[in-house]
Structures are given as structure tokens and as C-alpha cells.
Amino acid sequence: MEIFRIPAKLQSYALSNKRCGKTIALVPTMGFLHAGHMSLIDIARKKADIVIVSIFVNPIQFGPNEDLNKYPRNFERDSKLCEEHGADAIFAPEPNVMYAPDASTMVEETKLSRPLCGARRPGHFRGVTTVVTKLFHLAQPDYAVFGMKDAQQLLVIKRMVRDLNFPIEIIGAPLIREHGGLALSSRNSYLTEDEKNRAVVLSRSLEAAHAALAKGGLEVVPAVLDAMKHEIEKAGGKIDYVEALDCSTLEPPTEKTAGLLVALAVYFGKTRLIDNTLVWIKPL
Ligand code: AMP
């Protein structure tokens, strides 16, 4: 397995593989890899000749009071996992080689990135779309795999790829959970044992919401969201948002809505966790 630290080196590796007719799948990550990331790598492995995993804690997608500096890192462990799962290359640059000191170009999606995390983390999705664009130019992928764990991110990337004509197929991968239901996340490493136990309420309340909405449709949305908030607060979670939006527009549902994205961001202690579920509702 190759390890690249320099953008131009990755780009020539990718271009020379493409010239030989090889297909490439990219799995962008911020590292501290877990079974959720591994499932993305496994999907990529099945899709393409060459699998590139990027590991980059992208400073421009973090707000000034967020966890950039304490974000967990373990490159040795990550590279072992990537190798075990058949990755051909890791791209792990330092921020200073990714961004020139006078970099002044950003890529911004302006609709799907507004609500939910976009409203609470100004500039976050602009940071994501900018770095993903750079990674696409460097890794030259035919396929890129993103997790449903970050459902809004997946939608934003798909929209960007459509709007800007990137010749890349975006693959959405299922959300992987722990046995108790907690969505796997690198940020789970911040949680105390007690917080981790209490955070199980997130997947439980999403599961209950899923069942209620699948049965009751749009009419029961307000009651379902209230019940979720109540349960989460009872378990000691501090709600950032709990919302149900049309899963293709990320706008409030209308009579045209076929599917709902029920998404939440909740703090346990200082740790902000996100989770979601997609519900196909009955036509009215
Ligand atoms: P991150 O390292 O958190 O930026 O995540 C990198 C990629 O892995 C993103 O596409 C995430 O959506 C995906 N991912 C993270 N956690 C999970 C999970 N529990 N299940 C599936 N995909 C995940």
C-alpha cells in the first residue's frame, strides 16, 4: 500500500493508473477509522481497480470554537486497517500542503447546505465541498463513497457533483451502528462510559420515530418530534436540532414529500453527536 503526503504525488499516481485504464474509487475520511469507515472501503474495493483512502482533518470545515485541535488521530492504526481492507493507497497530507497561505477559492453549494448542520455550523459545508473538490482533482476517482451517517453531506456532495459536472459516481453507504444502536463515529471516543450509555437514546428515539412516521405519515410529524425531544432531554442530551425534512430538498415536508430525513444533532457533555433515519411515508 502506498502512502502519499504530497498532493502532486497522489495526482500523478492517479493519472498514471487512469492512463492504464484502471478505475479508481476514493473514500474521503478524517481518520481515526472505525467499522463505519471500513464498510465504505469494502464497498470501494468491490467497485474499482484502485482504492484510495484520504485521511485529512480538514481545518476549513471546523468553526473557531470546534474540536479541530483535539480531533482524535492515530495514523498507524488507520493505515493498518486500510491495508487489511485492501486499500491501494492512503493520502494523508498536512494542512499546509493542501492550502496555500493565500488560497482564495472556495466551492459552495447554496441550498441543501443551509438547514440542519449548515445552520448551526456556518461555513462547514463550504469547507467540505472545497476539500472534496480538491480531493476529486487529486485522486481522479470514478467512484467516491460517502456514508449515510452524514446524510446532509451526502446530499450536498451529490448536488455539487451534478451541478458542476464532475465525472464521478457518488455512492451512499449505509449507516453502521454499535450493537446498542449508537452510530459509529470517531467523536464517540470523547464520550465517557456514562455519556455513551445515555447516548443510546438517539438511535432508540429515531427507531421509534421511524415506526410512527411510516405508519402515521406527515400528520404525526410534530408529535413525533416532540416525543423524540422529550426522550432525548430525559436522557440528559442537550438538543442542537431534531428535525424532519423532505429527504430530497431538505425543506419542510409538503404533500409532494415521498421521504423524510429525520435528523438530529445532540450534545452529551461537550460531544456533539449526529444521527438520522430515512423514512418513506405513505402517499396522502
Ligand atoms: P469522517 O471521518 O467522520 O469525516 O467520515 C468519513 C466518511 O465515513 C463519511 O462519508 C461518513 O459519512 C462516513 N461514516 C462515518 N461514520 C459512519 C458510520 N457510522 N456508518 C457509515 N459511514 C460512516
Side-chain angles (χ1 to χ4, degrees), residues 28-30 34 36-37 40 146-147 149-150 153 174-176 184:
T29 83
M30 298 205 297
H34 51 65
H37 298 112
L40 272 51
F146 292 84
K149 161 80 180 0
D150 300 86
Q153 170 175 278
L175 199 167
I176 307 295
L184 288 176

Side-chain angles (χ1 to χ4, degrees), residues 33-40 42 77 81 85 176-177 184:
L33 303 179
H34 51 65
H37 298 112
M38 292 306 120
S39 72
L40 272 51
D42 295 343
R77 193 174 153 272
L81 285 169
H85 284 255
I176 307 295
R177 301 179 177 280
L184 288 176

Side-chain angles (χ1 to χ4, degrees), residues 50-63:
I50 302 286
V51 173
I52 301 172
V53 180
S54 63
I55 297 178
F56 180 55
V57 183
N58 175 34
I60 67 166
Q61 71 187 66
F62 286 76

Side-chain angles (χ1 to χ4, degrees), residues 5-284:
R5 301 268 179 196
I6 307 297
K9 292 260 162 70
L10 172 72
Q11 199 174 45
S12 25
Y13 169 80
L15 286 170
S16 61
N17 274 291
K18 299 279 279 195
R19 277 188 210 108
C20 303
K22 299 258 170 74
T23 56
I24 297 177
L26 173 69
V27 181
T29 83
M30 298 205 297
F32 212 68
L33 303 179
H34 51 65
H37 298 112
M38 292 306 120
S39 72
L40 272 51
I41 297 176
D42 295 343
I43 291 171
R45 186 63 285 164
K46 290 200 186 101
K47 263 318 233 193
D49 301 320
I50 302 286
V51 173
I52 301 172
V53 180
S54 63
I55 297 178
F56 180 55
V57 183
N58 175 34
I60 67 166
Q61 71 187 66
F62 286 76
N65 300 315
E66 295 183 352
D67 57 341
L68 172 63
N69 292 326
K70 68 166 189 159
Y71 196 84
R73 292 162 166 88
N74 188 340
F75 184 74
E76 295 236 318
R77 193 174 153 272
D78 287 352
S79 55
K80 224 172 129 227
L81 285 169
C82 288
E83 186 143 37
E84 280 168 15
H85 284 255
D88 297 285
I90 294 180
F91 177 51
E94 290 300 323
N96 64 336
V97 296
M98 280 294 271
Y99 298 109
D102 59 349
S104 53
T105 308
M106 301 284 258
V107 179
E108 188 167 20
E109 191 284 331
T110 57
K111 259 209 167 91
L112 299 171
S113 55
R114 287 290 171 258
L116 304 176
C117 285
R120 277 82 186 178
R121 304 183 67 188
H124 168 68
F125 285 113
R126 192 177 54 178
V128 170
T129 42
T130 300
V131 80
V132 168
T133 296
K134 288 168 70 73
L135 292 170
F136 284 173
H137 287 134
L138 295 172
Q140 298 282 315
D142 301 279
Y143 307 95
V145 191
F146 292 84
M148 278 290 294
K149 161 80 180 0
D150 300 86
Q152 186 177 16
Q153 170 175 278
L154 174 60
L155 285 171
V156 167
I157 299 290
K158 279 190 168 164
R159 176 64 59 89
M160 174 185 86
V161 161
R162 186 202 73 179
D163 288 350
L164 300 184
N165 305 96
F166 282 94
I168 301 171
E169 183 185 326
I170 302 301
I171 299 169
L175 199 167
I176 307 295
R177 301 179 177 280
E178 287 187 0
H179 289 306
L182 182 65
L184 288 176
S185 164
S186 309
R187 289 188 168 100
N188 291 353
S189 63
Y190 300 147
L191 297 170
T192 64
E193 212 42 47
D194 175 55
E195 286 166 347
K196 216 172 160 185
N197 291 333
R198 287 188 284 120
V200 170
V201 71
L202 302 181
S203 57
R204 295 242 168 99
S205 68
L206 283 167
E207 227 175 90
H210 192 286
L213 291 166
K215 191 159 166 242
L218 289 184
E219 259 173 57
V220 300
V221 167
V224 164
L225 294 179
D226 282 351
M228 286 182 73
K229 289 177 189 164
H230 179 74
E231 285 304 307
I232 291 167
E233 280 169 349
K234 211 169 70 183
K238 201 173 137 271
I239 291 171
D240 195 8
Y241 66 77
V242 176
E243 290 187 45
L245 299 177
D246 182 298
C247 71
S248 47
T249 62
L250 295 190
E251 285 174 5
T254 67
E255 69 281 1
K256 287 194 193 136
T257 296
L260 285 171
L261 177 71
V262 185
L264 57 81
V266 172
Y267 287 91
F268 280 89
K270 289 199 175 112
T271 307
R272 184 177 180 275
L273 300 176
I274 60 169
D275 200 344
N276 69 80
T277 189
L278 184 62
V279 192
W280 297 106
I281 50 171
K282 285 193 216 154
L284 286 179

